[in-house]
Amino acid sequence: MCGIAGIVGTDGSLSAEDLKRLALNMRDMMKYRGPDDAGVWCDPSGECVLVHRRLSVMDLSSDGRQPMWNETEELIITFNGEIYNHLKLRKELESRGHIFKTRTDSECIAHLMEEKMDAEGVNSLKGMFAFAAWDTKERKLLLARDHFGKKPLYYAQGPGWFAFSSELTPLTILPGFDSTISRDNVAKYLILQYIPAPNSIYDGAKKLPPGTSLTLDYSKKVRIEPFIERHADFEFFCGDPALGFGPPMYSRQTPSQSRLAAVLLNKFRRIRGRYSEKNATNLLPARVEQLRKLIIKATEQRLMSDVPLGAFLSGGVDSSLVVAIMTKELGLKPETFAIGFDGTDETEHQYAKMVAEHLGTRHREKILKPDVLSTVRQVAEALDEPNGDSSCLPTLLLSEFARNHVTVALSGDGGDELFGGYSRYFQTLEEEHTSVLKGLAPWSPSRAYMSFRIFVYLPEMVAKLMGGLPQETSDYFSTWSPWLDNNSLPLMHRMRALDAATYLPGAVLAKVDRMSMQHSLEVRSPLLDYDLAHFAESLSPEECYSNGSGKNLLKAVAAKYIPYEWLERRKMGFGLPMTFWKPKELVAFAREVTMAPNSPVLDWMDRTALDQYLKQQEDPALCSVYQMWTLLILALWTSNKAGASSAIHV
């Protein structure tokens, strides 16, 4: 895992030395992403500079240093991530005459881009990645981000430059960077607890949407396009221009309802045949075995490492299954890591210990009693843009603990979205069933699901706090309702698709990447495998949920290794126990930070409305600790950035 950045001069106003100095400053702001080595490459023409920070995982020799050339030295890349099918790709490339100089997966990308430097070429890659490739002959830059958005990639344009980076903060030092924080981005953050791609918190920077590539050609025009083949049909909300989630290069216009319906129906016709009656009846043994083999393959691919490797273990279904495959199928005795919380029963570490003993791992646990008010500052400082997911904190603490012993850790991320594990799915499905059974008044999936089930603040609450909901925010969420309400596809699949394309990359994967890389720890997610995603697309609703139980097919696989009653225990989630949240203290702290005379929050919120809201939150029966946490992260983050130094002058 690494940190990448680069800058391209677009009009000749910045000298080669200017570009190099800016790129090096960007690179070294991300030292923790790659503490083992650093590299820089400058185009002799002075037009492009690529930089790299290296966390050495594969081929620890200097051969793995980046930026890295292809064999003709006409194309150079800077790469962050892991390519799990690189050995297969290497054989194919060698059969076509390519000559490899290293054992790294990085070199495969350089050779692939030499053949086809576009979205079709990127489509061959399976893994987690964000990379840039520069063609020295064509004067062309290509950026690409993996199918799920596991690895971050930001980009920006300013006077005389186009730049990209693994993190947002390095872009802010560039001359002329637009650091405006719009009301629209604040509104989306409050509702979702993250800013969805392609936006970032700053107007001047964008996130490359998952599963897309960007090209900057010799004319310095930007074009963004999806990969030829995305990860299953979870693509619906990943930068699809017809649904309004695409980058602004496609269109800033919200599609009409009729056009949206037509697009959805065409896609439904293409995939409806996959949901057969045969698959929907029972958990067929063949289906269980097919899934088991896919998980074994995905886990084995993620074991490639020349440094110590272990696994996160919460005791839940997903991480327990990954560790079970490592031990029972692949013959390992890995180090496993868990954190617990002292003074409460709301902690999963005891379950993790039971699973570890059952599977025979070398288990380590750390029991903590964190001070929420002090650690919220720590989290806000670690974030390069606001992320209100309260599990950022335990993820940061777990990553710090694990990094003392290993450099790579496997996790169970993605199991809930791909296999149907969230309680909000079950609540919505039960409501749907009840409304049909009792013949109640027309029931709307979108009204049921687009509630506190997926929103932290409701849109109407944000409108009250901000003196109206920004139009772009309203337009953005208006595209969700027709999707959720269109019954051409089972409701379980509509909810999974929405979460896999928005919440997963926006909150979950962003949290894992940012918190783990603070401690130079690489985290790999076998359940977010490309082939597994295609299989998850084919699940019947009953294979996801029935009779009050979720992730049915996944649990059937896990039950081959773990007592089934352990798999059916109440899901806790990976967050701080409620006993650690002290609503009165949280609200007092939020008032202190948000209502201060120089608080940036007051640039977007009405002081009177905010004061009334905080007074309501003082009532323990009404206080939402998750809303308070989300608000505090925004307030602390913006206050930190307001006091930070501005752009580097050239």
Side-chain angles (χ1 to χ4, degrees), residues 325-347:
I325 296 297
M326 295 172 74
T327 58
K328 300 300 184 182
E329 296 292 349
L330 301 174
L332 302 179
K333 190 175 181 178
E335 291 198 65
T336 52
F337 302 92
I339 58 171
F341 300 101
D342 189 25
T344 178
D345 293 331
E346 295 181 62
T347 178

Side-chain angles (χ1 to χ4, degrees), residues 2-3 27-28 30-31 33-40 52-56 60-66:
C2 305
R27 182 195 72 181
D28 293 337
M30 303 183 288
K31 188 173 182 179
R33 295 191 75 95
D36 298 328
D37 197 4
V40 59
H52 189 264
R53 293 268 3 163
R54 185 184 183 195
L55 175 63
S56 300
L60 307 186
S61 72
S62 60
D63 289 344
R65 173 172 286 185
Q66 295 187 47

Side-chain angles (χ1 to χ4, degrees), residues 200-486:
S200 78
I201 187 66
Y202 295 120
D203 286 357
K206 301 292 184 184
K207 299 186 192 80
L208 188 64
T212 61
S213 64
L214 176 152
T215 55
L216 182 79
D217 62 21
Y218 66 91
S219 67
K220 302 304 181 286
K221 292 181 179 178
V222 170
R223 184 178 77 254
I224 293 180
E225 56 185 339
F227 298 167
I228 302 302
E229 184 179 352
R230 307 288 285 279
H231 63 81
D233 283 294
F234 292 119
E235 72 183 338
F236 287 162
F237 292 89
C238 294
D240 189 320
L243 293 174
F245 293 95
M249 291 73 177
Y250 288 128
S251 172
R252 283 196 173 273
Q253 301 301 314
T254 301
S256 68
Q257 297 300 310
S258 59
R259 179 175 173 236
L260 178 62
V263 170
L264 290 173
L265 286 173
N266 285 335
K267 291 191 173 185
F268 292 154
R269 292 188 187 104
R270 177 164 56 88
I271 67 174
R272 280 184 75 178
R274 301 176 189 175
Y275 303 96
S276 66
E277 290 298 321
K278 182 179 180 181
N279 282 346
T281 52
N282 295 297
L283 298 182
L284 301 177
R287 294 277 289 168
V288 176
E289 183 62 13
Q290 185 182 1
L291 176 57
R292 188 180 73 89
K293 289 180 178 179
L294 284 169
I295 297 173
I296 293 172
K297 179 183 176 184
T299 305
E300 185 174 25
Q301 287 180 328
R302 284 156 181 79
L303 296 179
M304 60 180 192
S305 175
D306 293 330
V307 294
L309 179 147
F312 292 162
L313 181 59
S314 70
V317 174
D318 305 330
S319 64
S320 296
L321 176 54
V322 169
V323 173
I325 296 297
M326 295 172 74
T327 58
K328 300 300 184 182
E329 296 292 349
L330 301 174
L332 302 179
K333 190 175 181 178
E335 291 198 65
T336 52
F337 302 92
I339 58 171
F341 300 101
D342 189 25
T344 178
D345 293 331
E346 295 181 62
T347 178
E348 288 193 307
H349 74 278
Q350 66 267 36
Y351 299 110
K353 187 175 183 180
M354 289 168 56
V355 172
E357 290 175 351
H358 177 72
L359 297 175
T361 73
R362 293 173 291 158
H363 190 61
R364 300 176 186 270
E365 65 178 33
K366 189 172 185 178
I367 310 303
L368 305 166
K369 193 168 185 177
D371 179 347
V372 173
L373 296 189
S374 63
T375 51
V376 66
R377 290 187 182 276
Q378 183 183 359
V379 171
E381 289 173 1
L383 293 166
D384 61 340
E385 68 173 339
N387 183 328
D389 189 332
S390 60
S391 64
C392 280
L393 175 54
T395 303
L396 183 68
L397 299 174
L398 178 60
S399 298
E400 181 181 24
F401 176 46
R403 186 61 175 90
N404 292 326
H405 307 280
V406 298
T407 307
V408 178
L410 271 59
S411 80
D413 292 312
D416 288 313
E417 291 83 3
L418 264 65
F419 296 95
Y422 286 125
S423 59
R424 58 179 178 260
Y425 299 163
F426 315 154
Q427 295 165 5
T428 309
L429 290 168
E430 291 300 329
E431 283 184 12
E432 179 188 44
H433 176 71
T434 301
S435 69
V436 172
L437 190 66
K438 296 185 177 181
L440 301 177
W443 178 83
S444 165
S446 63
R447 284 198 300 270
Y449 198 61
M450 293 171 65
S451 62
F452 285 127
R453 290 176 188 170
I454 57 171
F455 293 158
V456 177
Y457 288 84
L458 298 178
E460 53 266 33
M461 296 173 66
V462 174
K464 186 173 181 179
L465 285 169
M466 300 183 70
L469 195 66
Q471 187 61 49
E472 189 174 329
T473 300
S474 178
D475 291 344
Y476 176 79
F477 289 110
S478 71
T479 61
W480 290 21
S481 297
W483 163 254
L484 286 167
D485 290 336
N486 193 316

